[in-house]
Amino acid sequence: MPTLPTHPDFLWAEGEPKRHYDVVVVGGGGHGLATAYYLARNHGITDVAVLEKGWLAGGNMARNTTIIRSNYLLDASAAIYEHSLKLWETMAADLDYDVLFSQRGVLNLAHSLSDVRDSKRRVFANRLNGVDAEWLEPDEVAKIAPIINISAGVRYPVLGATYQPRGGIAKHDWVAWAYARRAADLGVDLIQQCEVSGFDVCGSGDGRRVSGVQTNRGPIGADRVALVAAGHSSVLAARAGVDLPLQSRPLQALVSELLEQVLDTVVMSNAVHVYVSQAHKGELVMGAGTDAWNGYGQRGAWHVIEHQMAAAVELFPIFARAHVLRTWGGIVDVSPDASPIIGLTPVEGLYVNAGWGTGGFKATPGSGWVMADTVAHGRPHALAQPYALERFTTGALIDEHGAAGVAH
């Protein structure tokens, strides 16, 4: 386990404190750390502070199911997730740190005729966008994941699956530490236990501009502020006078006890709604959908876990012999079209990256890359243009509800 290169004390403890930065990144999770790193590496902007109210990567980055894929249906989604996947493939060399990225493939199961049609449509769309995708018949699914029950007599029979060989998993906390270490090496300040309580905004109407943030450790000036705080983006944005169309909901997952390796790919099912992989240490990592109601508690309703377990045992009868070790919940921002919001806000100098819903982890490097470019140049990166806040008034939505094979 590496030592994180954070600097929480010297800014205020030694002599005259530094209270102004070129860029302040609000949120020390994967997306925030990646944004800071790419600001420094790609654009030479090192006068950057990452502010985290708790500890680095202690929020959703520590509460996800580590799945990585890019086989999304819509053009804008496929573009940004595929860009992210390509960055995953070079991440270890780029950051000089092994993040245990394992391209073990991702299966998305189909259980009905409509599932089959939708899945094949997504395979064709993926191929048109240069994303690797295959359609597998049930016997081919069984060759990749022999423990899946493909018999015809079950409630949700497996009629086939899409398969992305380049998909997989990575060790989420190591990803965050790698970005943190490299960003710090390039001169970025990482400040933990620094909660943002408000924004300094001058001017009025269309002439508003951000000039800094208020924190529990005092005010910090900034020429630009990047709001990258999953789960609480709408609350923080409202403090700057920006209304984001986001809802915050618990997203649940669980892990089993350590087991011998029985599953060497990722399996996802939308109809029975469970997705599962086996981590490097041996625990089964399972996720479900978001809870149906809004909330900020990092746990959800037990009936979601119960449904998740019933689905998993039906698909994988062998799992009936496993034991749940722990469950948890993250807080995800959900937009009306199940796609993120990336780019400028009505307040000059204030940028937002939010609303990834259940797709946040897999987007980590791509999100940081396009956010850094957007902040550096004051205009949306090409891959971020479709995700502008204005789409909710123009109607140019990117509706991935169900289209991506599972709500993840």
Side-chain angles (χ1 to χ4, degrees):
M1 181 179 296
T3 301
L4 289 178
T6 57
H7 309 297
D9 299 320
F10 79 92
L11 298 172
W12 283 271
E14 298 181 6
E16 185 66 24
K18 181 176 182 179
R19 295 180 178 268
H20 188 281
Y21 288 88
D22 183 356
V23 180
V24 162
V25 178
V26 180
H31 289 223
L33 293 168
T35 298
Y37 169 68
Y38 290 121
L39 276 169
R41 196 204 77 166
N42 291 357
H43 305 284
I45 300 173
T46 59
D47 188 24
V48 178
V50 177
L51 311 184
E52 169 54 46
K53 70 175 183 178
W55 62 92
L56 292 181
N60 280 3
M61 193 64 174
R63 295 179 173 86
N64 65 74
T65 51
T66 75
I67 296 172
I68 298 164
R69 63 188 181 92
S70 64
N71 56 344
Y72 280 72
L73 174 68
L74 303 180
D75 291 349
S77 303
I80 196 166
Y81 283 108
E82 177 64 12
H83 175 65
S84 190
L85 179 51
K86 290 177 179 176
L87 291 173
W88 280 108
E89 291 175 322
T90 61
M91 182 181 291
D94 180 32
L95 300 178
D96 191 25
Y97 197 86
D98 184 8
V99 297
L100 295 184
F101 177 47
S102 171
Q103 290 181 284
R104 56 185 60 191
V106 175
L107 287 167
N108 291 92
L109 304 180
H111 301 281
S112 65
L113 181 58
S114 62
D115 275 356
V116 171
R117 290 170 174 169
D118 290 343
S119 298
K120 288 183 177 180
R121 178 195 178 202
R122 184 156 55 91
V123 167
F124 301 146
N126 289 162
R127 291 176 177 174
L128 288 173
N129 279 313
V131 177
D132 59 313
E134 304 173 19
W135 170 255
L136 303 182
E137 296 297 333
D139 58 332
E140 297 173 302
V141 172
K143 289 179 182 178
I144 293 175
I147 64 172
I148 294 180
N149 182 4
I150 64 167
S151 63
V154 296
R155 191 170 35 149
Y156 296 100
V158 175
L159 303 183
T162 66
Y163 183 56
Q164 183 177 23
R166 291 168 55 238
I169 62 173
K171 200 167 190 329
H172 48 87
D173 44 0
W174 289 21
V175 173
W177 295 337
Y179 273 123
R181 289 168 63 86
R182 293 296 292 126
D185 289 344
L186 294 172
V188 173
D189 288 337
L190 309 176
I191 309 172
Q192 302 181 93
Q193 306 299 324
C194 186
E195 182 173 3
V196 172
S197 56
F199 298 82
D200 296 325
V201 178
C202 54
S204 60
D206 294 336
R208 291 178 295 162
R209 178 175 180 81
V210 70
S211 59
V213 296
Q214 296 291 324
T215 79
N216 62 321
R217 304 183 66 168
I220 302 176
D223 297 328
R224 292 168 283 185
V225 175
L227 178 55
V228 194
H232 296 79
S233 304
S234 58
V235 174
L236 287 170
R239 295 173 183 172
V242 177
D243 185 17
L244 297 180
L246 298 175
Q247 296 178 331
S248 298
R249 297 178 184 173
L251 175 64
Q252 294 186 68
L254 58 87
V255 295
S256 74
E257 60 196 337
L258 300 184
L259 303 169
E260 295 294 329
Q261 289 292 327
V262 295
L263 183 65
D264 58 2
T265 190
V266 179
V267 182
M268 312 180 74
S269 170
N270 197 28
V272 299
H273 211 104
V274 67
Y275 37 93
V276 58
S277 64
Q278 190 166 16
H280 301 84
K281 292 189 298 182
E283 65 265 43
L284 297 172
V285 184
M286 300 186 191
T290 58
D291 276 18
W293 55 84
N294 298 336
Y296 293 99
Q298 289 176 331
R299 56 182 295 178
W302 179 254
H303 77 272
V304 175
I305 297 294
E306 187 177 34
H307 175 76
Q308 179 183 359
M309 288 294 90
V313 170
E314 180 171 90
L315 284 173
F316 306 93
I318 193 175
F319 288 179
R321 301 175 63 183
H323 298 90
V324 173
L325 181 65
R326 63 185 177 93
T327 69
W328 69 87
I331 308 300
V332 297
D333 295 319
V334 182
S335 69
D337 62 354
S339 293
I341 300 169
I342 314 170
L344 286 62
T345 72
V347 177
E348 186 178 354
L350 179 63
Y351 303 85
V352 66
N353 182 354
W356 287 93
T358 60
F361 178 69
K362 64 181 67 66
T364 299
S367 167
W369 183 288
V370 301
M371 186 63 171
D373 185 88
T374 298
V375 172
H377 297 289
R379 52 93 185 101
H381 184 280
L383 293 176
Q385 285 180 347
Y387 296 99
L389 184 58
E390 290 76 18
R391 76 179 187 274
F392 298 107
T393 56
T394 65
L397 302 181
I398 311 168
D399 194 356
E400 283 286 358
H401 280 106
V406 71
H408 182 72

